[in-house]
Amino acid sequence: MTLPNFDGTLKKYARLIAETGVNVQKGQSVVLQISVDQAPLARLITEEAYKLGAGEVIVQWNDDIVQREFLLHADEKYLENIPQHKIDQTDDWIAKGASRISVVSANPDALSGVDANRVATFQSASGKALANLSYAGTTISGMKFTFKDGKVIDFSAEQGEEVLAKLLETDEGARHLGEVALVPDPSPISQSGIIFYNTLFDENASNHLAFGSAYAFNLQGGTEMSEEELKEAGLNRSHTHVDFMVGSDQMDIDGIREDGTRVPIFRNGDWA
C-alpha cells in the first residue's frame, strides 16, 4: 500500500531532517548513515543538505544481508579489530564538527541465528573503537532480571537469551543500570500500538531501563570530565548502553523515602 502523495511527503520529510533535525549550516560536513533499501530517501536528504549549504555530504550505506554474511563467515580477527582507517575517519568527522544523520530501518531479526559470541565480539570491538552502538540484530523478549546491590546477578529471556547473556558480559558496567526513565502509557507512540523495533521510537512509548553507560550530562560539569573522573563520581561506565521497555497501562510505581514511607509516582501507567 502506497500512501497518497508519498513522493511529495518523502521530500518534505527529507527537508525536515536536514533543516530542522540537524540544522545543516553553510560549509558543514554531513554524514548520512542509511540502508541501501532507503536509497530514494538518501538522495532526497543529500539534495536538501546541499541546498542548505552543506560543504559535503558523506553517505555510508548499510545492508542487513551483507552484515549478516559478514558476521556468519568473516575471520575472527576482523570481528575483534576495527580497522584504524574507520577510527581515523570518525575522529576526522568529530574534528570537523560534522552533523550525523542516522536513518534506521533494519529488520529486528536480521541476525537471528548468528552465533551470539561472534555478534558480541564485533559489538564490543565496535563499542570500544567507535563509541556506543546499539545492540541489535536479534529480538530479545520476555526478560527477567534479579538485582543485588545494583548489579544483575541472574536473568532469563523467553527469546534471545544467549544474545542477552553476551550483552551482559560486555564489561563490568554492562550488568549495572545507566538509565531509568519514566514515560506515561498515554504517550502518542504508545497509543499508536506500533512496535517500531527501534529504541529511539519505542523508548518514547514506555518506561524503560538501560544497561551500561550513564550519560555524562547527568552530572554538573560531567561533559567536561574524563572517563576516570566520571567513574570516581559514581557514574556507571561501559562500552554499551542498551535500553529495554518495561511499561504498561497496569504499572504502578512508588518512590520510597529514606524513612521508608512511600510516595505514589505512577498509577495504572500514568502519573499519580
Side-chain angles (χ1 to χ4, degrees), residues 204-230:
N204 290 299
S206 174
N207 298 320
H208 54 276
L209 309 175
F211 290 120
S213 198
Y215 295 117
F217 58 70
N218 286 302
L219 292 178
Q220 186 172 3
T223 56
E224 306 300 322
M225 294 181 181
S226 67
E227 284 295 305
E228 284 302 315
E229 289 172 330
L230 290 170

mmCIF file of all heavy atoms in Angstrom, residues 204-230:
data_model
loop_
_atom_site.group_PDB
_atom_site.id
_atom_site.type_symbol
_atom_site.label_atom_id
_atom_site.label_comp_id
_atom_site.label_asym_id
_atom_site.label_seq_id
_atom_site.Cartn_x
_atom_site.Cartn_y
_atom_site.Cartn_z
ATOM 1 N N ASN A 204 10.020 5.984 23.709
ATOM 2 C CA ASN A 204 9.061 7.054 23.975
ATOM 3 C C ASN A 204 7.637 6.540 24.134
ATOM 4 O O ASN A 204 6.697 7.322 24.271
ATOM 5 C CB ASN A 204 9.118 8.088 22.850
ATOM 6 C CG ASN A 204 10.412 8.868 22.872
ATOM 7 O OD1 ASN A 204 10.717 9.542 23.840
ATOM 8 N ND2 ASN A 204 11.188 8.756 21.809
ATOM 9 N N ALA A 205 7.499 5.209 24.116
ATOM 10 C CA ALA A 205 6.184 4.601 24.310
ATOM 11 C C ALA A 205 6.049 3.973 25.683
ATOM 12 O O ALA A 205 4.955 3.549 26.060
ATOM 13 C CB ALA A 205 5.943 3.533 23.240
ATOM 14 N N SER A 206 7.140 3.920 26.448
ATOM 15 C CA SER A 206 7.106 3.088 27.645
ATOM 16 C C SER A 206 8.203 3.490 28.624
ATOM 17 O O SER A 206 9.247 4.023 28.235
ATOM 18 C CB SER A 206 7.308 1.620 27.233
ATOM 19 O OG SER A 206 7.424 0.792 28.350
ATOM 20 N N ASN A 207 7.938 3.207 29.918
ATOM 21 C CA ASN A 207 9.029 3.268 30.878
ATOM 22 C C ASN A 207 10.150 2.375 30.368
ATOM 23 O O ASN A 207 9.910 1.331 29.757
ATOM 24 C CB ASN A 207 8.591 2.752 32.250
ATOM 25 C CG ASN A 207 7.481 3.587 32.846
ATOM 26 O OD1 ASN A 207 7.475 4.805 32.742
ATOM 27 N ND2 ASN A 207 6.522 2.927 33.475
ATOM 28 N N HIS A 208 11.388 2.776 30.609
ATOM 29 C CA HIS A 208 12.485 1.934 30.147
ATOM 30 C C HIS A 208 13.706 2.081 31.042
ATOM 31 O O HIS A 208 13.907 3.093 31.716
ATOM 32 C CB HIS A 208 12.848 2.228 28.692
ATOM 33 C CG HIS A 208 13.156 3.670 28.400
ATOM 34 N ND1 HIS A 208 12.163 4.602 28.137
ATOM 35 C CD2 HIS A 208 14.320 4.340 28.323
ATOM 36 C CE1 HIS A 208 12.710 5.784 27.911
ATOM 37 N NE2 HIS A 208 14.026 5.662 28.014
ATOM 38 N N LEU A 209 14.489 1.014 31.060
ATOM 39 C CA LEU A 209 15.764 0.960 31.762
ATOM 40 C C LEU A 209 16.845 0.720 30.728
ATOM 41 O O LEU A 209 16.583 0.229 29.631
ATOM 42 C CB LEU A 209 15.774 -0.172 32.793
ATOM 43 C CG LEU A 209 14.613 -0.238 33.779
ATOM 44 C CD1 LEU A 209 14.730 -1.497 34.642
ATOM 45 C CD2 LEU A 209 14.576 0.996 34.659
ATOM 46 N N ALA A 210 18.080 1.053 31.075
ATOM 47 C CA ALA A 210 19.193 0.777 30.163
ATOM 48 C C ALA A 210 20.360 0.198 30.943
ATOM 49 O O ALA A 210 20.744 0.727 31.993
ATOM 50 C CB ALA A 210 19.633 2.047 29.439
ATOM 51 N N PHE A 211 20.887 -0.892 30.424
ATOM 52 C CA PHE A 211 22.136 -1.428 30.953
ATOM 53 C C PHE A 211 23.301 -0.667 30.324
ATOM 54 O O PHE A 211 23.269 -0.332 29.137
ATOM 55 C CB PHE A 211 22.279 -2.914 30.616
ATOM 56 C CG PHE A 211 21.328 -3.791 31.349
ATOM 57 C CD1 PHE A 211 20.420 -4.585 30.664
ATOM 58 C CD2 PHE A 211 21.317 -3.828 32.730
ATOM 59 C CE1 PHE A 211 19.531 -5.403 31.339
ATOM 60 C CE2 PHE A 211 20.433 -4.632 33.424
ATOM 61 C CZ PHE A 211 19.537 -5.424 32.727
ATOM 62 N N GLY A 212 24.334 -0.428 31.127
ATOM 63 C CA GLY A 212 25.543 0.143 30.561
ATOM 64 C C GLY A 212 25.787 1.575 30.974
ATOM 65 O O GLY A 212 25.385 2.022 32.044
ATOM 66 N N SER A 213 26.435 2.300 30.089
ATOM 67 C CA SER A 213 26.950 3.623 30.412
ATOM 68 C C SER A 213 25.840 4.630 30.690
ATOM 69 O O SER A 213 24.826 4.674 29.991
ATOM 70 C CB SER A 213 27.816 4.117 29.246
ATOM 71 O OG SER A 213 28.645 5.179 29.649
ATOM 72 N N ALA A 214 26.055 5.436 31.728
ATOM 73 C CA ALA A 214 25.137 6.531 32.046
ATOM 74 C C ALA A 214 25.604 7.792 31.329
ATOM 75 O O ALA A 214 26.774 7.925 30.964
ATOM 76 C CB ALA A 214 25.102 6.764 33.561
ATOM 77 N N TYR A 215 24.688 8.705 31.111
ATOM 78 C CA TYR A 215 25.011 9.927 30.371
ATOM 79 C C TYR A 215 25.787 10.913 31.246
ATOM 80 O O TYR A 215 25.378 11.236 32.364
ATOM 81 C CB TYR A 215 23.730 10.583 29.862
ATOM 82 C CG TYR A 215 22.992 9.751 28.840
ATOM 83 C CD1 TYR A 215 21.709 9.277 29.089
ATOM 84 C CD2 TYR A 215 23.583 9.436 27.617
ATOM 85 C CE1 TYR A 215 21.027 8.513 28.150
ATOM 86 C CE2 TYR A 215 22.914 8.669 26.673
ATOM 87 C CZ TYR A 215 21.637 8.214 26.945
ATOM 88 O OH TYR A 215 20.978 7.456 26.015
ATOM 89 N N ALA A 216 26.882 11.427 30.693
ATOM 90 C CA ALA A 216 27.745 12.343 31.448
ATOM 91 C C ALA A 216 27.018 13.626 31.839
ATOM 92 O O ALA A 216 27.322 14.225 32.879
ATOM 93 C CB ALA A 216 28.993 12.668 30.624
ATOM 94 N N PHE A 217 26.043 14.070 31.039
ATOM 95 C CA PHE A 217 25.372 15.330 31.337
ATOM 96 C C PHE A 217 24.492 15.258 32.577
ATOM 97 O O PHE A 217 23.946 16.274 33.019
ATOM 98 C CB PHE A 217 24.563 15.843 30.140
ATOM 99 C CG PHE A 217 23.505 14.904 29.624
ATOM 100 C CD1 PHE A 217 22.353 14.639 30.353
ATOM 101 C CD2 PHE A 217 23.655 14.296 28.390
ATOM 102 C CE1 PHE A 217 21.376 13.788 29.871
ATOM 103 C CE2 PHE A 217 22.680 13.446 27.890
ATOM 104 C CZ PHE A 217 21.536 13.194 28.638
ATOM 105 N N ASN A 218 24.334 14.059 33.156
ATOM 106 C CA ASN A 218 23.588 13.940 34.410
ATOM 107 C C ASN A 218 24.343 14.546 35.589
ATOM 108 O O ASN A 218 23.756 14.796 36.641
ATOM 109 C CB ASN A 218 23.283 12.473 34.711
ATOM 110 C CG ASN A 218 22.187 11.923 33.809
ATOM 111 O OD1 ASN A 218 21.089 12.441 33.785
ATOM 112 N ND2 ASN A 218 22.503 10.885 33.053
ATOM 113 N N LEU A 219 25.627 14.740 35.420
ATOM 114 C CA LEU A 219 26.449 15.356 36.466
ATOM 115 C C LEU A 219 26.802 16.780 36.069
ATOM 116 O O LEU A 219 27.089 17.039 34.896
ATOM 117 C CB LEU A 219 27.751 14.570 36.665
ATOM 118 C CG LEU A 219 27.660 13.169 37.261
ATOM 119 C CD1 LEU A 219 29.053 12.548 37.315
ATOM 120 C CD2 LEU A 219 27.057 13.215 38.663
ATOM 121 N N GLN A 220 26.796 17.683 37.035
ATOM 122 C CA GLN A 220 27.214 19.047 36.749
ATOM 123 C C GLN A 220 28.676 19.026 36.303
ATOM 124 O O GLN A 220 29.545 18.536 37.006
ATOM 125 C CB GLN A 220 27.050 19.926 37.989
ATOM 126 C CG GLN A 220 27.334 21.399 37.715
ATOM 127 C CD GLN A 220 26.968 22.280 38.902
ATOM 128 O OE1 GLN A 220 26.554 21.785 39.952
ATOM 129 N NE2 GLN A 220 27.119 23.570 38.755
ATOM 130 N N GLY A 221 28.921 19.529 35.122
ATOM 131 C CA GLY A 221 30.274 19.533 34.574
ATOM 132 C C GLY A 221 30.708 18.191 34.021
ATOM 133 O O GLY A 221 31.868 18.019 33.621
ATOM 134 N N GLY A 222 29.779 17.232 33.962
ATOM 135 C CA GLY A 222 30.136 15.877 33.551
ATOM 136 C C GLY A 222 30.666 15.779 32.137
ATOM 137 O O GLY A 222 31.530 14.949 31.844
ATOM 138 N N THR A 223 30.145 16.609 31.234
ATOM 139 C CA THR A 223 30.586 16.536 29.839
ATOM 140 C C THR A 223 32.037 16.977 29.660
ATOM 141 O O THR A 223 32.641 16.728 28.619
ATOM 142 C CB THR A 223 29.684 17.399 28.938
ATOM 143 O OG1 THR A 223 29.671 18.744 29.426
ATOM 144 C CG2 THR A 223 28.264 16.834 28.912
ATOM 145 N N GLU A 224 32.589 17.612 30.684
ATOM 146 C CA GLU A 224 33.989 18.042 30.624
ATOM 147 C C GLU A 224 34.914 17.084 31.376
ATOM 148 O O GLU A 224 36.133 17.286 31.404
ATOM 149 C CB GLU A 224 34.127 19.454 31.236
ATOM 150 C CG GLU A 224 33.193 20.489 30.634
ATOM 151 C CD GLU A 224 33.430 20.674 29.136
ATOM 152 O OE1 GLU A 224 34.610 20.634 28.729
ATOM 153 O OE2 GLU A 224 32.445 20.856 28.397
ATOM 154 N N MET A 225 34.348 16.041 31.996
ATOM 155 C CA MET A 225 35.144 15.106 32.791
ATOM 156 C C MET A 225 35.722 13.988 31.942
ATOM 157 O O MET A 225 35.165 13.619 30.902
ATOM 158 C CB MET A 225 34.282 14.493 33.901
ATOM 159 C CG MET A 225 33.803 15.454 34.950
ATOM 160 S SD MET A 225 32.827 14.571 36.224
ATOM 161 C CE MET A 225 32.367 15.921 37.309
ATOM 162 N N SER A 226 36.831 13.430 32.400
ATOM 163 C CA SER A 226 37.412 12.251 31.765
ATOM 164 C C SER A 226 36.632 11.017 32.207
ATOM 165 O O SER A 226 35.810 11.078 33.135
ATOM 166 C CB SER A 226 38.878 12.098 32.168
ATOM 167 O OG SER A 226 38.968 11.787 33.558
ATOM 168 N N GLU A 227 36.870 9.876 31.541
ATOM 169 C CA GLU A 227 36.203 8.630 31.917
ATOM 170 C C GLU A 227 36.501 8.271 33.370
ATOM 171 O O GLU A 227 35.614 7.825 34.102
ATOM 172 C CB GLU A 227 36.644 7.493 30.982
ATOM 173 C CG GLU A 227 35.996 7.547 29.614
ATOM 174 C CD GLU A 227 34.494 7.330 29.685
ATOM 175 O OE1 GLU A 227 34.060 6.308 30.236
ATOM 176 O OE2 GLU A 227 33.750 8.195 29.181
ATOM 177 N N GLU A 228 37.739 8.452 33.793
ATOM 178 C CA GLU A 228 38.106 8.130 35.175
ATOM 179 C C GLU A 228 37.390 9.036 36.160
ATOM 180 O O GLU A 228 36.939 8.591 37.219
ATOM 181 C CB GLU A 228 39.621 8.236 35.350
ATOM 182 C CG GLU A 228 40.405 7.078 34.757
ATOM 183 C CD GLU A 228 39.976 5.731 35.340
ATOM 184 O OE1 GLU A 228 39.821 5.653 36.574
ATOM 185 O OE2 GLU A 228 39.773 4.789 34.564
ATOM 186 N N GLU A 229 37.276 10.311 35.835
ATOM 187 C CA GLU A 229 36.596 11.251 36.725
ATOM 188 C C GLU A 229 35.105 10.923 36.831
ATOM 189 O O GLU A 229 34.517 11.013 37.918
ATOM 190 C CB GLU A 229 36.785 12.676 36.208
ATOM 191 C CG GLU A 229 38.204 13.192 36.374
ATOM 192 C CD GLU A 229 38.423 14.524 35.680
ATOM 193 O OE1 GLU A 229 37.748 14.785 34.654
ATOM 194 O OE2 GLU A 229 39.278 15.302 36.147
ATOM 195 N N LEU A 230 34.503 10.527 35.722
ATOM 196 C CA LEU A 230 33.087 10.147 35.754
ATOM 197 C C LEU A 230 32.882 8.915 36.623
ATOM 198 O O LEU A 230 31.929 8.838 37.406
ATOM 199 C CB LEU A 230 32.589 9.879 34.338
ATOM 200 C CG LEU A 230 32.466 11.096 33.416
ATOM 201 C CD1 LEU A 230 32.191 10.656 31.989
ATOM 202 C CD2 LEU A 230 31.357 12.031 33.903
#
